[in-house]
Short mmCIF file of all heavy atoms in Angstrom, two decimals:
data_model
loop_
_atom_site.label_atom_id
_atom_site.label_comp_id
_atom_site.label_asym_id
_atom_site.label_seq_id
_atom_site.Cartn_x
_atom_site.Cartn_y
_atom_site.Cartn_z
N ARG A 1761 -151.27 -10.36 205.61
CA ARG A 1761 -151.89 -11.19 206.64
C ARG A 1761 -152.66 -12.38 206.05
O ARG A 1761 -153.41 -12.22 205.05
CB ARG A 1761 -152.92 -10.37 207.39
CG ARG A 1761 -152.55 -10.05 208.73
CD ARG A 1761 -153.55 -9.17 209.44
NE ARG A 1761 -152.78 -8.18 210.22
CZ ARG A 1761 -152.07 -8.47 211.31
NH1 ARG A 1761 -152.14 -9.67 211.85
NH2 ARG A 1761 -151.41 -7.55 211.97
N ASN A 1762 -152.44 -13.61 206.61
CA ASN A 1762 -153.25 -14.73 206.13
C ASN A 1762 -154.71 -14.59 206.57
O ASN A 1762 -155.61 -14.90 205.82
CB ASN A 1762 -152.64 -16.03 206.70
CG ASN A 1762 -151.29 -16.30 206.21
OD1 ASN A 1762 -150.92 -15.84 205.09
ND2 ASN A 1762 -150.49 -16.99 206.95
N VAL A 1763 -154.87 -14.15 207.75
CA VAL A 1763 -156.24 -13.96 208.34
C VAL A 1763 -156.30 -12.51 208.86
O VAL A 1763 -155.52 -12.09 209.67
CB VAL A 1763 -156.52 -14.92 209.52
CG1 VAL A 1763 -157.90 -14.72 210.03
CG2 VAL A 1763 -156.28 -16.35 209.07
N GLY A 1764 -157.26 -11.77 208.31
CA GLY A 1764 -157.41 -10.38 208.78
C GLY A 1764 -157.81 -10.27 210.20
O GLY A 1764 -158.42 -11.22 210.80
N LEU A 1765 -157.49 -9.14 210.82
CA LEU A 1765 -157.87 -8.92 212.18
C LEU A 1765 -159.36 -8.66 212.23
O LEU A 1765 -159.81 -7.84 211.45
CB LEU A 1765 -157.09 -7.79 212.82
CG LEU A 1765 -155.56 -7.96 212.85
CD1 LEU A 1765 -154.89 -6.73 213.43
CD2 LEU A 1765 -155.20 -9.17 213.65
N PRO A 1766 -160.09 -9.33 213.12
CA PRO A 1766 -161.54 -9.20 213.11
C PRO A 1766 -161.97 -7.76 213.33
O PRO A 1766 -163.00 -7.36 212.80
CB PRO A 1766 -161.97 -10.09 214.29
CG PRO A 1766 -160.78 -10.51 214.98
CD PRO A 1766 -159.60 -10.25 214.12
N ALA A 1768 -160.88 -5.21 212.13
CA ALA A 1768 -160.74 -4.40 210.85
C ALA A 1768 -162.01 -4.51 210.04
O ALA A 1768 -161.97 -4.88 208.85
CB ALA A 1768 -159.54 -4.87 210.11
N GLY A 1769 -163.18 -4.15 210.64
CA GLY A 1769 -164.39 -4.02 209.92
C GLY A 1769 -165.07 -5.36 209.70
O GLY A 1769 -166.17 -5.42 209.11
N ASN A 1770 -164.56 -6.43 210.23
CA ASN A 1770 -165.14 -7.78 209.96
C ASN A 1770 -165.86 -8.38 211.13
O ASN A 1770 -166.35 -9.51 211.12
CB ASN A 1770 -164.11 -8.68 209.45
CG ASN A 1770 -163.83 -8.49 207.97
OD1 ASN A 1770 -164.17 -7.46 207.44
ND2 ASN A 1770 -163.23 -9.49 207.34
N ARG A 1771 -165.98 -7.58 212.24
CA ARG A 1771 -166.61 -8.09 213.43
C ARG A 1771 -168.02 -8.51 213.21
O ARG A 1771 -168.40 -9.61 213.71
CB ARG A 1771 -166.57 -7.04 214.56
CG ARG A 1771 -167.04 -7.53 215.88
CD ARG A 1771 -166.72 -6.47 216.93
NE ARG A 1771 -165.29 -6.40 217.11
CZ ARG A 1771 -164.74 -6.53 218.32
NH1 ARG A 1771 -165.43 -6.73 219.37
NH2 ARG A 1771 -163.44 -6.44 218.46
N ASN A 1773 -169.66 -9.77 210.72
CA ASN A 1773 -169.99 -11.05 210.09
C ASN A 1773 -169.31 -12.25 210.79
O ASN A 1773 -169.46 -13.32 210.39
CB ASN A 1773 -169.67 -10.99 208.59
CG ASN A 1773 -168.21 -10.48 208.33
OD1 ASN A 1773 -167.40 -10.54 209.22
ND2 ASN A 1773 -168.06 -10.05 207.12
C1 NAG B 338 -163.52 -9.12 205.90
O1 NAG B 338 -164.59 -9.71 205.33
C2 NAG B 338 -164.71 -9.67 203.95
C3 NAG B 338 -166.04 -10.27 203.55
O2 NAG B 338 -166.40 -11.27 204.35
C4 NAG B 338 -163.55 -10.43 203.34
O3 NAG B 338 -163.56 -10.39 201.91
C5 NAG B 338 -162.27 -9.79 203.78
O4 NAG B 338 -161.18 -10.54 203.33
C6 NAG B 338 -162.24 -9.76 205.31
N1 NAG B 338 -161.08 -8.99 205.67
C7 NAG B 338 -160.14 -9.52 206.39
C8 NAG B 338 -159.04 -8.55 206.71
O5 NAG B 338 -160.18 -10.65 206.79
#
Side-chain angles (χ1 to χ4, degrees):
R1761 250 176 221 289
N1762 296 334
V1763 180
L1765 298 177
N1770 279 18
R1771 186 169 292 235
N1773 49 22

